[in-house]
Amino acid sequence: MKTAMDELVAHSILQGADAMYGRFLDVTAGAQERFEAQDWQGVQAALKERINIYDHHVGLVGQQLKTMLNKRYATRSFLMSVKAAYVLLLNNYPRYDIAESFFNSVYCRLFEHRNIRREKLFIQSSQGGRIPKYPTPLLRRYTSQAGVYATIERLLDDTPFSIKWENQARDIKRITQVLQKRFGPQLTLGFTIEMVREPFYRNKGVYLIGRMEMANQTQPFVLALLTNEKGEIYVDACISDTDGVSMIFSFARSYFMVYAPAPAALVDFLSQLMPNKTLSELYTAVGCQKHGKTELYREFLHHLDKSDDQFEIAAGIKGMVMSVFTLPSYGFVFKVIKDRFAPQKNMNHATVKAKYKLVKEHDRCGRMADTQEYRNFRFPRHRFSEELLEELLQVAPSKIVVTAKEVLIKHLYMERRMIPFNIYIEQAGDEALRDAVQEYGDALKELAAANIFAGDMLFKNFGVTRHNRVIFYDYDEISYLHEVNFRRIPPPRFPEDEMAAEPWYSVGENDVFPEEFRTFLLTSNRVKSLFEELHSDLFNADFWKGLQRNIEVGCFNDVYPYRKGDTF
């Protein structure tokens, strides 16, 4: 029996989604081996590889369909028939969420992001939020009849690791003491622990994620594990509150490697631990960032429907490369690359996009905000302030199409909104300012330890989160640390040299003189004195060269996303 073309196309797209996610799981499955072998460079390579799997398979399916089809099939009725056939295939399909986003991506690739209409895509899911049955039990359940110590012992014994424990009895005792201190008499009434069977790997750490159920409350329960110099495993922290777990799932962290054949079920469990996290955040955190992008767009549409404020220019100093706007009631900003850059910005649009891609694929170490990239993004025209529309048409006219009903932006990034660091420190009291300066310097050092040099270190390019954490968010001048040539300023040859308009020494393209940071960063005496006290090493070329030597020998520091009070 000959298969109808619409059904054949639907099957081809779903087969492509299966192949993509199968490869995604293959790379993820190697996380335990990389962790146990302490193959940290392999960890970073796998992160980059897994991110690129999706686009690679979308391209393969796109080419396949172009070979199968011709222009006579590019009709509305045929496209709607393909979508209807695809919906039938998704009934009882365990990864319908990923498959719907894959369908959208293939469609956009075929039509080069044109002819994008809601009825032809899965702007909303066809499955109504169905939670699929997990192919194996998602959770392990532990009851406390034998006491806290014995319960934790069983939990650790069930972990899949093949390497030796540094001192498992010590770790069990520490966890027991922490739980008794935090929950006290409630534990004596009995409790249950439910743990996700699969560990969550990221960088040098692995996380066991679950929850504790007691008589009158349910709390997250997370154990953070590391390896020592001998390659033995040990528990480094115990986290048992929602805020603490939310920090582990931060938007400024790399994506987890967790084996999830039915991600909707895993995300549903995680959302119970972190009710303030959205579906887009959780899907993205577990590595399904393309579906996270779909969910973010759905959340944006929902917010538009329940709000009535207008988009406006974002707070802060305007950038030379990006125009940034936001909706006051919404927690994200929208960033549009300008058509022309200021003369001092020696780059083009392709360079800027490459920098944002670098950040997406790199270890963000809790200090760089993740972004989602969109094409042909449509906004309701009546929600735009005249000031914003005038600016966009002035600085990026090639990317803006305005009609009576909508504003279409051909390319933009969405990024979490934060308080610009320069605004934050202007309003901060003495204690908050000290903490902010400490955070800013720590951010630069932690980025450098991860082989990232921020480039443009002006305060306006950093933001402050609700946890008062300083995050870098302007990437057009970012580079790998090992590419930078840190130099000391040579002494002047003659007294007149210091008065000259031009430097008396040669300056190469990648040369950076840390001594100059004082000049363009420390314009406030309050900030200057704190910097000299807390981070004077940042002004020394030898400090940066030392970090470069660490990178050269494969020594990548990791900054762990939990509070000191949660560590042992």
Side-chain angles (χ1 to χ4, degrees), residues 224-226 234-238 560 562 566-568:
L225 284 65
L226 303 176
Y234 66 95
V235 179
D236 189 51
C238 176
Y560 302 105
Y562 35 85
D566 291 323
T567 59
F568 297 133

Side-chain angles (χ1 to χ4, degrees), residues 83-95:
K83 182 181 176 184
Y86 200 76
V87 169
L88 291 177
L89 295 176
L90 297 183
N91 291 333
N92 299 317
Y93 182 75
R95 291 189 295 275

Side-chain angles (χ1 to χ4, degrees), residues 453-467:
F453 181 62
D456 192 344
M457 295 159 56
L458 293 176
F459 294 161
K460 69 182 182 68
N461 297 324
F462 292 76
V464 182
T465 71
R466 67 184 182 92
H467 293 294

